[in-house]
Each structure stands twice: as structure tokens, then as C-alpha cells.
Amino acid sequence: MKILLVIDDFGCQTNGLSISTQRFKKEFEKLGHEVRILGNEANGAVDYPLPVQKLPFFQKIIDKQGFQLARSQRKMVNRAVSWAEAVILETPFPVSAVVGKVAAKKHKKLAAMFHIYPENILYSVPFLNYKWSNHLLLNFAKKIAYRHVTDIFCPTEKVAHYLRKNNFKQKLHVISNGISNTYLVKRPEQTDHCFTILCIGRFSHEKKQEVLLRALKYLPKNIRVIFAGQGPLEKNYRNLAKHLPQQITFSYYKPQQLQKIMQKSDLVVHCADIEIEGMACMEAFASGCVPIIADAPLSSTSSYSLTKNNLFPAGDSRALAKKILFWKNHPKQLQKMSQEYQQYAQTLSIEKSAKKMLIILQIMPPAK
């Protein structure tokens, strides 16, 4: 099958949406399908390059997110869609709206991924983050960007429920974005080391790393904490950490470095209020880190909690501290849970997700 993936910024290496798309491309190709990319020319080779879309006033905010929008060009869109048998829209932005309309006219199979809540976009812009503005963005996805789409792939059942609640009429398929096989390897035996907590993600408002920093006030000092990421709130978080007794590190790590850290860490703490799936957390528990996950209405990562001790009420630092202490004080249970999560991760592999998606693409009707 000839599959066209439509994504504004395919080559971005710091955005989970882009990385997920790169992995699916590789898996589809491994399974014998031909895959091409339509997206902007900013961060790496694409088959059908589009210019970067610059937005006056909002561009500084977009740049901070490390993701660039694409500007549609009808001639390039026509070339790309004409080549394809199936088109998958990865982002609910204007370029997808144009591609969707062209794909429907040409009677191509047309599916979409739901990777982004409106709040993912607007949470970092407090003067725009209101109910009406989030509703406006969701309506753009529903009525314009995904108007002609017949099927939507949802990473979790929680996302599918959200779309049903908001009257999306397409067929919804719950398929994880999938954990790379790189992380599905045996965890090295742990030697004596300092109890280590890992917190992964951009230092931005919706990730809520300050909840963990506040929790550290209630915890002993013989704990090491690694904040792996980068972003606009790093300076604020470093200032908060100055007054804490634990050994705290803030740094951005390349994937290979981060995987080694995951394999040596005891816990991964996921504090985000808004998360479609939480791939970094999934990669960490695939590597043997036991997760403690914020239970928030717009965080699907909580779907991956296996026990009550893998969850805490979103924003509650004292409750988070109690969960951390439980695992620190019960090393045998921690080791057993680490093994259980590694086994569980095997069911969420990118290979399994790609195969499920391809079965659906093959039986889908063309768009109208």
C-alpha cells in the first residue's frame, strides 16, 4: 500500500508527535509498504516539502514549543495525494484541512491520528487558554481539518471517550502510539545505588514538574532526582530546587543517554495535567522504572496505572510524596512491579500498533 503521512513538522526531534510519526513510518516500511511524507522543509528530508508557516505575534510562542507549522501549496498537495492510496493526517492544522479536502475529491482512503488536545496548544498561553478558545480549536479539528476523515486512531480509550463526548462521528480505533523495540529489552541488574526518581518532559506549564519539586519537601534527602528535558520554565524550576536538600539534576538527554538513565532509575514520576498518551513515561516503564502518574481528566497516561500506588491526584504534592515513600520503603514490591511493567510494555509495542493500523487502513472505504 502507498501511504502518505501528513504532518507539519516531521523532522522535529524534541516533539513526541513527530517522533511517533517517524517510528510508524519505519514500521510500515518494515511491513512492506511504501511511505512518503508531506510536511514542512524545516527539520529534515520530506518527500513533498512545504514552506514553514510563520504566524505574526504567535511565532515566538510556537518557536518555544519546538514545532513548526507548514504552509499549504496546492500543487505539492495534489502531487502527494495523487501518489497515495491511503492518507493519514497526523495534525489537526490548516495543511491537513487542505489535504483532507483534496483526498476526498480524489476518493482516497483518509484517516487521522488524534495526538493533540486543544489544551496542549493553549495551556502555555494563559491569555488564550479559555473554555471558548479550546472549544474553537476543537471545532476546527472536527469540522474543518478532519471533516472528510472516515476513521480516527486514538492512543487510549480515554481519548476515544473524549471524542465521542465531543460528537466526533468518525469510526474510532483505540491503538497506542506504541513503544519502540529499543526500550523493550531486559533491564540490567541493579547494584547498590542512590534511590533515583526520573521526571521526563518539556519544562512547560501543562507538564507540571513543580508538583514533584513541592513533593520533595516531604521526602528524605537521600534521593536523587533527574529532570530530563528543556523548555521555558527551566529557570523557575532551578530556583525552586535551590532550596531542596536532595541531589537534583536538570538536563536534556539524547535518546540513547536517556534510555541508560531509565534503566538505572527506580521511579518515573509523570505530573502532567494534559497528556494524550505520555510516550516518555511508557518508555520509562518499559525500561523497568515504576511509574507514579497524575490522575487528571485530560491525561491519558493514567490509563497505564496497574495499582493504586501508581496513581496520585493531579496537583497533590503531599499525596505524591506518600506514593514515592511507599515504593522507597518497599524495595521487594518495587522490584516485582518493575518486572510487571516490563511485561506489560510488551503488549504496547510499536510493531503491534502498526499491524493493527494497517489492517484498518486496508478495509477502510474511500473518503467522500
Side-chain angles (χ1 to χ4, degrees), residues 26-288:
K26 288 179 183 177
E27 288 301 319
F28 290 156
E29 289 172 339
K30 279 183 192 176
L31 294 165
H33 300 269
E34 191 175 351
V35 185
R36 294 185 184 178
I37 306 296
L38 172 68
N40 78 44
E41 56 197 1
N43 284 314
V46 295
D47 302 282
Y48 301 102
L50 298 171
V52 173
Q53 177 68 65
K54 298 289 185 181
L55 296 180
F57 184 69
F58 292 104
Q59 195 56 43
K60 284 186 179 180
I61 296 167
I62 293 169
D63 290 342
K64 284 182 180 178
Q65 299 305 315
F67 188 86
Q68 298 295 326
L69 296 174
R71 177 159 52 85
S72 178
Q73 286 184 336
R74 185 65 64 141
K75 186 177 178 182
M76 190 64 74
V77 168
N78 274 317
R79 266 184 64 198
V81 175
S82 295
W83 168 83
E85 294 174 272
V87 178
I88 303 177
L89 308 178
E90 300 280 342
T91 45
F93 300 141
V95 70
S96 289
V98 175
V99 173
K101 189 174 181 180
V102 172
K105 281 185 179 179
K106 293 179 181 292
H107 303 293
K108 304 290 185 176
K109 295 183 178 187
L110 182 63
M113 298 285 285
F114 197 86
H115 288 287
I116 306 172
Y117 288 127
E119 290 82 357
N120 283 118
I121 300 168
L122 296 181
Y123 205 98
S124 294
V125 194
F127 63 89
L128 284 178
N129 186 29
Y130 294 100
K131 189 174 180 179
W132 65 266
S133 52
N134 285 306
H135 184 70
L136 193 67
L137 279 182
L138 188 63
N139 268 350
F140 180 86
K142 180 169 62 176
K143 296 181 178 179
I144 301 176
Y146 291 174
R147 179 182 174 185
H148 300 284
V149 165
T150 62
D151 295 65
I152 298 179
F153 300 115
C154 310
T156 68
E157 181 56 45
K158 200 168 184 178
V159 173
H161 175 75
Y162 171 87
L163 295 183
R164 290 188 203 105
K165 182 180 173 183
N166 285 283
N167 300 312
F168 279 72
K169 303 302 183 185
Q170 293 88 348
K171 288 183 181 178
L172 306 178
H173 309 277
V174 178
I175 300 175
S176 169
N177 282 319
I179 300 170
S180 169
N181 292 335
T182 306
Y183 297 90
L184 300 173
V185 295
K186 187 176 179 181
R187 182 177 173 91
E189 286 190 23
Q190 301 297 300
T191 55
D192 291 340
H193 71 295
C194 181
F195 188 86
T196 302
I197 299 169
L198 180 59
C199 187
I200 312 165
R202 277 182 52 75
F203 304 137
S204 56
H205 293 282
E206 76 277 11
K207 300 299 184 184
K208 292 290 181 181
Q209 288 98 335
E210 71 271 14
V211 177
L212 175 55
L213 284 163
R214 290 200 303 267
L216 294 175
K217 293 188 295 185
Y218 310 109
L219 292 168
K221 64 181 180 180
N222 62 335
I223 293 175
R224 184 183 180 200
V225 187
I226 301 171
F227 289 89
Q230 57 187 358
L233 296 182
E234 182 172 349
K235 185 177 179 181
N236 297 20
Y237 291 160
R238 285 183 179 275
N239 286 335
L240 285 173
K242 283 179 184 177
H243 308 289
L244 295 168
Q246 292 86 6
Q247 180 186 346
I248 302 173
T249 303
F250 295 89
S251 186
Y252 171 76
Y253 301 96
K254 292 181 179 179
Q256 297 87 343
Q257 295 172 307
L258 185 56
Q259 186 180 2
K260 288 178 181 178
I261 292 169
M262 289 174 178
Q263 291 177 336
K264 294 179 180 179
S265 298
D266 298 284
L267 298 176
V268 58
V269 173
H270 189 79
C271 301
D273 277 351
I274 302 163
E275 194 75 81
I276 283 284
E277 190 171 23
M279 190 51 62
C281 181
M282 294 167 69
E283 290 167 350
F285 70 61
S287 303

Side-chain angles (χ1 to χ4, degrees), residues 324-347:
I324 291 170
L325 275 177
F326 171 82
W327 292 114
K328 186 176 188 300
N329 294 335
H330 295 84
K332 288 185 179 178
Q333 287 176 255
L334 179 72
Q335 184 179 10
K336 183 171 180 280
M337 185 56 62
S338 171
Q339 293 167 352
E340 286 185 24
Y341 262 104
Q342 285 194 287
Q343 291 170 3
Y344 176 50
Q346 298 287 335
T347 69

